[in-house]
Amino acid sequence: MLASVDDIVNVINNSSNIVFFGGAGISTESNIPDFRSTDGLYNMEYDYPPETIISHSFFINNPKEFYRFYKNKCLKPMLNAEPNATHKALSKLEKEGKLKAIVTQNIDDLHHRAGSKTIYELHGTSFRNYCTKCGKEYSIEEVVNDKNDIMTCECGGIVRPDIVLYEEPLDDNVVSKSIKAISECETLIIAGTSLVVYPAAGLIRYYRGHKLILINLSKVPNEDEIDYVYHGKAGEVFSRFL
Ligand code: CNA
């Protein structure tokens, strides 16, 4: 059913075992564009759609174009971003013992930087990078500041971000922990995600309770199955917890 900010705040206040499932829409209020909103990456001019560029085969066959897009459109906005009200409120709810885990599709590290501890990053993180040949690790700053078209390691191997590219499988351990948290929680909050990227979106099917909340700017598939639906910005709800 459609719910107000007050309704959602009440459900959260009356829950003691919450899990949060989020996506790119959680970080748009930190000025990192998402993939599908009007001003998101899908509506900007580029030679290929983002899911083509950020795919395993594209990275292997066209690393120069991969790096051009990835550095300009993903890394640079992330490097300058700060946690917003939603990241901060989730960290506070965890400290209060109410929030048990964050399951995120984001790769921007903002939940960590807001102080959250139990975070399952389904798609990895841009803040870890490694050489595909020798495994040497590189920071996000080293990747952004690298002047070459393709970042290579001193051993000659190509450096890649520790993110799950399209066509690549999710990490089994992260998936198992996410499923356990979702299946055991009392309240599941889904926010800032179009719920169209699988297998990540399929994990919400493991929720078994009756306090399923959606906070999203636009509609998502199967919304009529969700107990509380609020169409608006995540920050409008979570700023109430700061
Ligand atoms: P998406 O498909 O771009 O959808 C984002 C959703 O969030 C849309 O439905 C928007 O309507 C909604 N939205 C935008 N702003 C807000 C807001 N302030 N409050 C509430 N809702 C909002 O993103 P998904 O995460 O569903 O797609 C999964 C991809 C996108 C994952 O693989 C991510 O790694 C990838 N991605 C991540 C980032 C990041 O790490 N910040 C940025 C861009 C893309």
Side-chain angles (χ1 to χ4, degrees):
M1 67 165 193
L2 283 180
S4 64
V5 171
D6 283 340
D7 294 333
I8 305 237
V9 168
N10 278 337
V11 178
I12 295 175
N13 279 337
N14 290 312
S15 303
S16 54
N17 180 355
I18 305 167
V19 168
F20 181 88
F21 181 93
I26 289 311
S27 296
T28 53
E29 291 170 75
S30 294
N31 297 321
I32 301 176
D34 64 12
F35 274 2
R36 286 177 183 81
S37 299
T38 336
D39 56 352
L41 295 179
Y42 270 90
N43 292 293
M44 296 167 75
E45 284 298 309
Y46 232 80
D47 292 347
Y48 306 87
E51 76 237 300
T52 302
I53 303 177
I54 307 195
S55 70
H56 181 82
S57 49
F58 196 91
F59 173 71
I60 299 296
N61 296 322
N62 206 340
K64 185 173 164 185
E65 188 67 356
F66 171 90
Y67 259 111
R68 191 167 77 88
F69 174 88
Y70 179 66
K71 275 167 92 165
N72 288 329
K73 300 294 179 194
C74 300
L75 289 191
K76 283 182 184 164
M78 284 179 201
L79 206 53
N80 298 322
E82 293 294 333
N84 61 44
T86 302
H87 301 106
K88 290 176 190 167
L90 291 171
S91 171
K92 190 164 172 246
L93 287 167
E94 184 186 50
K95 284 194 185 78
E96 290 166 3
K98 288 164 72 73
L99 184 88
K100 303 302 178 191
I102 292 171
V103 180
T104 183
Q105 299 164 88
N106 291 351
I107 54 174
D108 58 28
D109 202 47
L110 288 180
H111 289 298
H112 279 120
R113 285 203 268 154
S116 291
K117 300 285 180 242
T118 305
I119 308 165
Y120 302 131
E121 292 172 312
L122 292 170
H123 294 157
T125 173
S126 292
F127 281 67
R128 278 193 311 266
N129 300 273
Y130 64 93
C131 169
T132 50
K133 201 166 155 199
C134 73
K136 182 171 190 261
E137 293 191 7
Y138 290 87
S139 68
I140 187 171
E141 288 84 2
E142 286 173 294
V143 177
V144 169
N145 294 328
D146 185 69
K147 298 279 179 274
N148 301 303
D149 291 336
I150 302 167
M151 183 166 178
T152 50
C153 178
E154 55 207 22
C155 80
I158 294 186
V159 173
R160 65 160 282 176
D162 195 0
I163 62 173
V164 178
L165 300 174
Y166 286 93
E167 305 163 354
E168 293 180 339
L170 303 186
D171 181 299
D172 283 343
N173 187 35
V174 176
V175 171
S176 318
K177 287 178 173 165
S178 303
I179 290 175
K180 187 169 188 303
I182 290 171
S183 62
E184 290 175 353
C185 73
E186 172 195 9
T187 300
L188 178 64
I189 306 172
I190 303 167
T193 172
S194 56
L195 289 180
V196 298
V197 176
Y198 280 80
L203 297 185
I204 62 167
R205 293 271 159 213
Y206 288 90
Y207 177 63
R208 293 186 290 222
H210 301 288
K211 291 182 180 179
L212 182 58
I213 297 173
L214 173 80
I215 305 162
N216 210 56
L217 271 182
S218 54
K219 285 194 156 202
V220 303
N222 304 320
E223 251 186 35
D224 50 338
E225 295 170 18
I226 296 175
D227 302 309
Y228 303 91
V229 175
Y230 176 69
H231 285 141
K233 292 189 174 179
E236 292 166 21
V237 174
F238 285 99
S239 55
R240 299 273 292 269
F241 293 92
L242 291 176

